């Protein structure tokens, strides 16, 4: 096939890649995007979006059981797992089609196939019709990541699942083991536990949600245990014995190994970047534990090769990947005042019940960094809107530099905190101080008032507790 030339070639059409392609095209760059599987990548098809659709179903199911609290009647409450899954797949399909439409709208050339990098500025794509050669001075690698599988704990799709299997389950678990308590593990634990699975979560660290503030992790554990989950921290699954209809897990805790039987296991022990087989090492790119090492501007050290999203430095979140895609496109286009993405300014959200969200430094990390700090807290039980919603469980915590008033971090657990967190993200971006936040008028009655009260509490001015 004839060689095609572009200004920019993007490899991978996930939330980092397709956004990078759109922005590059908007800036007048002739752009191509290569995708081996489906537009929208893992996030849209097998991650962020379908999991949120499924979690919404479990949330409604949970609320239906509480109908009497709200003066309502609901009888014969049940669920159809196949229908829940079908809805989530339709949501994903709709959005995947939307990405394809955006490519056409922005005049981005789409090439479906498996890409390799045989030389600088060259992308070879193996398609259904043969091999195509694309050339560009600038290449953006956005190949994403996949589930990490530990030896002996590999998924088989029958009784041992990765997140993909958990999204299209062959059966409803009755007794479920979730290995790993990061966002993915906890979200699936929350979903299946709400639908009635007897759920156990095993975490090798000393607490669940280990990247979160310790106070939030402790609150989350108590909440999950109240819902019937069994949490095993400082524990490790050493081996899985697989049977036709059960799995026996050898779980080590406190130096002692015990056997526990489950009918289903979900492994959520991290990710591995999709960087092998591309030819990166031959080009001179440095790989560290599967991730391509880059600088703050996502430059790989190989001229013209940028790496964004889950294929490079963390945090491994879709919104970070998208922002990096925009940043790199603008850098390539020669735009002025292009700012690098700061990891500490990226909010993390976990859509379990209750939700968890955070940005910036935890209390412990702020102290470790040498800051003299002030900490504010406000409970959901003190907020009128939370009580009216029937969601009095939760808290908001803020961490400030005591000398400058800089907002160092914010940490939340409770209803809709994944929507609230952006208020603090914007505040950090604008270099807001405690004084600015205290003088801001928050609307009433809203959950956002708790954000105000948490700031007031840090400076001994809290009103409603």
């Amino acid at each position: 096939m004839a060689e095609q030339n572009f200004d920019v070639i993007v490899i991978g059409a996930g939330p980092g890649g397709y956004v990078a392609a759109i922005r590059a095209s908007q800036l007048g760059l002739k752009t191509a995007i290569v995708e081996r599987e489906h537009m929208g990548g893992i996030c849209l098809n097998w991650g962020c979006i379908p999991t949120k659709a499924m979690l919404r179903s479990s949330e409604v199911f949970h609320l239906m059981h509480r109908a009497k609290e709200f003066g309502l009647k609901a009888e014969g409450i049940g669920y159809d797992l196949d229908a829940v899954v079908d809805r989530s797949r339709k949501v994903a399909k709709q959005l995947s089609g939307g990405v394809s439409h955006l490519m056409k709208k922005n005049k981005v050339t789409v090439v479906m196939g498996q890409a390799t990098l045989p030389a600088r500025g060259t992308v070879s794509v193996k398609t259904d019709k043969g091999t195509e050669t694309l050339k560009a001075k600038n290449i953006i690698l956005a190949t994403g990541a996949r589930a990490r599988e530990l030896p002996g704990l590999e998924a088989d799709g029958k009784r041992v699942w990765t997140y993909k299997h958990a999204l299209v389950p062959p059966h409803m678990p009755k007794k479920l083991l979730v290995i790993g308590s990061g966002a993915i593990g906890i979200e699936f634990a929350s979903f299946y536990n709400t639908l009635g699975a007897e759920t156990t979560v095993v975490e090798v660290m000393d607490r669940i949600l280990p990247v979160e503030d310790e106070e939030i992790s402790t609150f989350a554990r108590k909440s999950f245990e109240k819902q019937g989950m069994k949490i095993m921290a400082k524990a490790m699954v050493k081996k899985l014995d697989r049977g036709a209809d059960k799995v026996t897990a050898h779980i080590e805790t406190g130096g002692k190994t015990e056997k526990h039987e489950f009918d289903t296991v979900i492994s959520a022990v991290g990710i591995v970047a999709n960087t092998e087989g591309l030819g990166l090492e031959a080009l001179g790119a440095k790989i560290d534990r599967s991730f391509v090492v880059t600088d703050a501007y996502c430059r790989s050290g190989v001229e013209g090769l940028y790496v964004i999203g889950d294929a490079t430095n963390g945090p491994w979140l879709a919104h970070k990947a998208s922002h990096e895609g925009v940043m790199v496109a603008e850098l390539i286009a020669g735009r002025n005042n292009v700012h690098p993405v700061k990891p500490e300014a990226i909010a993390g959200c976990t859509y379990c019940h209750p939700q968890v969200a955070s940005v910036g430094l935890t209390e412990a990390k702020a102290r470790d960094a040498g800051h003299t700090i002030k900490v504010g807290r406000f409970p959901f039980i003190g907020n009128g809107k939370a009580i009216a919603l029937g969601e009095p469980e939760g808290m908001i915590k803020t961490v400030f530099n005591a000398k400058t008033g800089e907002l160092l971090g914010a940490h939340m657990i409770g209803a809709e905190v994944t929507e609230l967190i952006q208020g603090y993200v914007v505040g950090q971006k604008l270099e807001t101080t405690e004084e600015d936040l205290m003088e801001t008028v928050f609307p009433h009655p809203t959950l956002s008032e708790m954000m105000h009260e948490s700031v007031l509490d840090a400076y001994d001015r809290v009103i409603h507790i």
Side-chain angles (χ1 to χ4, degrees):
M1 295 185 181
E3 183 179 290
Q4 298 186 67
N5 291 282
F6 298 90
D7 297 316
V8 179
I9 301 169
V10 182
I11 303 175
Y18 86 75
V19 169
I22 289 172
R23 186 64 184 130
S25 184
Q26 287 176 343
L27 292 166
L29 301 171
K30 185 181 179 184
T31 305
I33 192 164
V34 181
E35 171 55 45
R36 69 178 179 182
E37 201 167 356
H38 33 228
M39 301 305 289
I42 291 297
C43 174
L44 197 153
N45 292 278
W46 294 102
C48 320
I49 300 303
T51 55
K52 304 313 163 281
M54 290 175 73
L55 283 160
R56 176 61 170 167
S57 293
S58 68
E59 180 184 13
V60 173
F61 184 65
H62 168 75
L63 287 171
M64 289 169 71
H65 279 89
R66 296 178 57 197
K68 191 175 180 180
E69 294 178 38
F70 298 92
L72 306 173
K73 291 183 179 180
E75 298 175 355
I77 300 167
Y79 64 85
D80 180 340
L81 184 60
D82 289 340
V84 170
V85 171
D86 184 58
R87 176 179 179 271
S88 78
R89 299 316 309 152
K90 285 177 179 176
V91 169
K93 184 178 179 181
Q94 178 182 343
L95 290 171
S96 181
V99 173
S100 295
H101 169 72
L102 287 171
M103 295 299 98
K104 290 179 182 177
K105 178 184 175 183
N106 287 280
K107 298 180 174 57
V108 175
T109 299
V110 176
V111 181
M112 297 300 294
Q114 179 72 46
T116 56
L117 298 165
R120 290 186 188 182
T122 302
V123 178
S124 179
V125 187
K126 188 177 180 181
T127 71
D128 291 339
K129 298 177 181 178
T131 300
E132 291 191 33
T133 299
L134 315 178
K135 286 188 173 289
K137 184 179 178 181
N138 300 286
I139 296 171
I140 303 173
L141 190 71
T143 48
R146 61 187 183 277
R148 180 185 297 278
E149 295 198 76
L150 300 179
L153 309 183
E154 295 91 350
D156 54 36
K158 297 174 183 177
R159 293 290 165 184
V160 183
W161 302 345
T162 64
Y163 63 86
K164 268 196 175 184
H165 305 120
L167 282 167
V168 285
H171 61 266
M172 173 64 194
K174 293 179 181 177
K175 195 171 182 183
L176 171 67
L177 169 64
V178 177
I179 308 173
S181 73
I184 294 173
I186 284 297
E187 286 183 359
F188 280 118
S190 187
F191 172 77
Y192 283 108
N193 187 72
T194 301
L195 294 189
E198 185 182 332
T199 305
T200 298
V201 177
V202 171
E203 170 56 53
V204 70
M205 304 295 283
D206 61 355
R207 56 191 175 91
I208 61 168
L209 295 168
V211 302
E212 300 294 341
D213 186 89
E214 188 169 355
E215 209 167 342
I216 300 297
S217 294
T218 300
F219 194 112
R221 176 169 184 162
K222 289 178 180 176
S223 180
F224 297 150
E225 288 178 333
K226 185 179 175 183
Q227 295 170 38
M229 274 190 217
K230 181 179 181 182
I231 306 292
M232 300 177 70
K234 296 177 74 174
M236 181 181 294
V237 179
K238 305 294 287 186
K239 187 171 70 166
L240 297 175
D241 297 331
R242 306 164 197 240
D245 58 357
K246 69 177 182 179
V247 178
T248 302
H250 298 246
I251 304 175
E252 181 186 279
T253 179
K256 182 180 175 184
T257 300
E258 295 181 347
K259 295 181 182 179
H260 300 262
E261 283 192 0
F262 303 90
D263 63 47
T264 310
V265 177
I266 297 176
S267 179
V269 291
I271 61 171
V272 177
N274 297 320
T275 53
E276 72 279 17
L278 290 165
L280 293 171
E281 294 90 339
L283 291 178
K286 185 179 179 183
I287 312 292
D288 180 18
R289 291 168 295 176
S290 80
F291 301 98
V292 182
V293 177
T294 60
D295 67 8
Y297 290 94
C298 297
R299 294 176 292 212
S300 68
V302 177
E303 187 179 352
L305 178 63
Y306 301 82
V307 186
I308 65 173
D310 288 1
T312 185
N313 315 316
W316 299 290
L317 299 167
H319 42 289
K320 173 177 172 284
S322 296
H323 204 79
E324 286 176 335
V326 170
M327 175 192 74
V328 169
E330 294 186 346
L331 201 64
I332 290 169
R335 300 271 289 197
N336 295 323
N337 300 317
V338 177
H339 301 287
V341 177
K342 296 180 180 179
E344 64 274 16
I346 304 297
C349 297
T350 305
Y351 298 80
C352 46
H353 179 75
Q355 294 180 5
V356 175
S358 61
V359 67
L361 299 177
T362 63
E363 180 180 351
K365 286 188 176 178
R367 293 187 193 280
D368 290 345
H371 294 286
T372 302
I373 63 173
K374 284 185 178 289
V375 179
R377 300 171 183 83
F378 194 83
F380 271 51
I381 193 67
N383 177 261
K385 179 69 178 290
I387 295 170
L389 290 175
E391 299 286 356
E393 182 181 0
M395 68 173 289
I396 292 180
K397 177 177 180 177
T398 46
V399 182
F400 291 89
N401 183 305
K403 296 177 181 178
T404 65
E406 177 189 0
L407 176 63
L408 298 174
H411 312 276
M412 308 178 175
I413 183 167
E416 302 304 331
V417 297
T418 56
E419 298 293 337
L420 295 179
I421 192 65
Q422 188 62 14
Y424 285 132
V425 175
V426 172
Q428 277 196 326
K429 178 64 177 175
L430 298 177
E431 298 182 351
T432 300
T433 65
E434 92 291 354
E435 186 176 346
D436 296 323
L437 289 168
M438 286 194 285
E439 292 184 359
T440 298
V441 180
F442 286 70
H444 174 79
T446 64
L447 297 176
S448 69
E449 290 175 277
M450 292 184 286
M451 299 168 65
H452 190 217
E453 294 270 18
S454 179
V455 176
L456 293 172
D457 183 59
Y459 290 85
D460 301 318
R461 289 177 53 180
V462 67
I463 302 295
H464 288 99
I465 52 169

